[in-house]
Amino acid sequence: MERHLLDGRIKLRHLQCLLAVAQHGSLQRAAEALSITQPAVSKTIAELEGLLGVRLFDRGRNGARPTAQAELFLRHAGASVSALRQGIDVLSRAVGQTGGVIEIAVLPTLAAAMMPGVLEAFRREWPGIVVQVHTGANQQLLTQLKSGQVALALGRMSDPQGMAGLTFEHLCATPLCVVVRPGHPLVQQRSVSMADIANFHVVLPPHGTILRHTADSFLRAHGVGTLDDYSELLSMSLARAMTLRDDVVWIASEITVQDDLADAALCALPFATQGTEESIGILWRNDTVPTPPEQTLISAMREAARVRYGTPGLR
């Protein structure tokens, strides 16, 4: 094992394939992400397994799942690829080259609210670097971060197991909000109970997300069990469009609808949401040190949170 590691047989392509298969859970999807063929991915993984002397993935009808041995190696593989990227970034800055790409992951609930200002501030300091923003559910963001696909994430605090290996910097706490369009029948009622929303189509976060768990707990706390008429949407733009157009009820994170509430485009129903707050913050792997461009993004995220939500800015 030691001889293999020292003689240079493990290449960057081996680590990239390993990380891609672990992230996507499929050799075919990994091949598509890497823009190579599936046989090339399979061959590269087989080479790496031969060099390491262990099986890295259990392959079946449901895709490819990392073995226990692979889980031990993945974190270090991700750190190695990340360290190489950081070295290239630092060298580019030192010689006056500002090209390159930084990939980050952001919750859809935060993308429109915070990222325009963050990206504008970043471009002023690093005009030659492209920031690729991926959006998805919180668990997906954490997986992308741990596998090394993205350098930073803007998301929610997860459970201890989900946060293993990650650094989390709190930016703000945001509660749930129950919103409707201004002409909604519930706005005209003198008093509104939580049971009243069951008479309308309800838009909820997707099942399995942290936000959905909070929403379900909130409904149960107010005596509302399983809803008969509801949609599950990850797309904030679609949820907003449905709420503005029809007599639906949207249960969302307040951070998502803050601007619409301020502009009176949407109305918040008068329900107490204390206790539904979730911690929003910046995440990165704790085995890496953010590069100068990544530090600029982190600083811009802190400042965006301070301006919009009154949270502490730069440390």
Side-chain angles (χ1 to χ4, degrees), residues 104-120:
I104 65 173
V106 181
L107 284 174
T109 51
L110 303 175
M114 291 184 62
M115 288 310 298
V118 169
L119 295 177
E120 180 182 0

Side-chain angles (χ1 to χ4, degrees), residues 40-157:
V41 172
S42 181
K43 179 182 178 182
T44 302
I45 293 298
E47 290 176 359
L48 184 57
E49 288 177 329
L51 291 170
L52 295 175
V54 297
R55 189 177 77 258
L56 294 172
F57 293 98
D58 290 322
R59 305 173 195 180
R61 298 177 62 181
N62 295 324
R65 186 176 63 182
T67 63
Q69 291 88 348
E71 292 288 358
L72 292 174
F73 186 61
L74 272 168
R75 177 176 173 183
H76 300 284
S80 298
V81 174
S82 176
L84 179 59
R85 289 174 177 167
Q86 290 179 29
I88 293 172
D89 287 340
V90 172
L91 180 60
S92 296
R93 179 67 177 255
V95 300
Q97 298 175 355
T98 56
V101 176
I102 297 177
E103 296 187 58
I104 65 173
V106 181
L107 284 174
T109 51
L110 303 175
M114 291 184 62
M115 288 310 298
V118 169
L119 295 177
E120 180 182 0
F122 180 82
R123 286 196 304 271
R124 287 197 297 266
E125 187 165 346
W126 300 89
I129 294 182
V130 175
V131 179
Q132 291 185 355
V133 181
H134 302 266
T135 58
N138 205 64
Q139 185 55 50
Q140 182 181 352
L141 269 58
L142 299 184
T143 299
Q144 291 175 322
L145 187 58
K146 290 180 178 181
S147 69
Q149 180 186 353
V150 300
L152 300 170
L154 186 59
R156 293 186 176 88
M157 172 73 81

Side-chain angles (χ1 to χ4, degrees), residues 175-181 184 186-187 192-194 196-198 201-204 215 218-219 222 243 248-254 257 261 266-273 276:
L176 289 178
C177 194
V178 184
V179 298
V180 296
R181 66 183 183 88
H184 195 285
L186 290 179
V187 176
V192 180
S193 70
M194 188 61 71
D196 290 329
I197 74 169
H201 187 83
V202 179
V203 177
L204 292 167
F218 174 68
L219 289 170
H222 286 80
T243 308
V248 304
V249 177
W250 182 16
I251 300 180
S253 173
E254 186 180 72
V257 296
L261 293 176
L266 292 173
C267 298
L269 295 179
F271 298 122
T273 57
T276 65

Side-chain angles (χ1 to χ4, degrees), residues 162-215:
M163 297 300 294
L166 300 178
T167 295
F168 178 85
E169 179 182 317
H170 171 81
L171 291 179
C172 61
T174 177
L176 289 178
C177 194
V178 184
V179 298
V180 296
R181 66 183 183 88
H184 195 285
L186 290 179
V187 176
Q188 314 304 322
Q189 288 187 196
R190 179 168 300 180
S191 64
V192 180
S193 70
M194 188 61 71
D196 290 329
I197 74 169
N199 297 320
F200 298 90
H201 187 83
V202 179
V203 177
L204 292 167
H207 182 74
T209 62
I210 296 174
L211 195 59
R212 175 58 179 274
H213 176 76
T214 303

Side-chain angles (χ1 to χ4, degrees), residues 11 22 33 78 84 95 105 193 195 221 224 229 284 298:
K11 308 294 185 183
L84 179 59
V95 300
S193 70
V224 177
D229 185 15
W284 62 91
I298 291 172

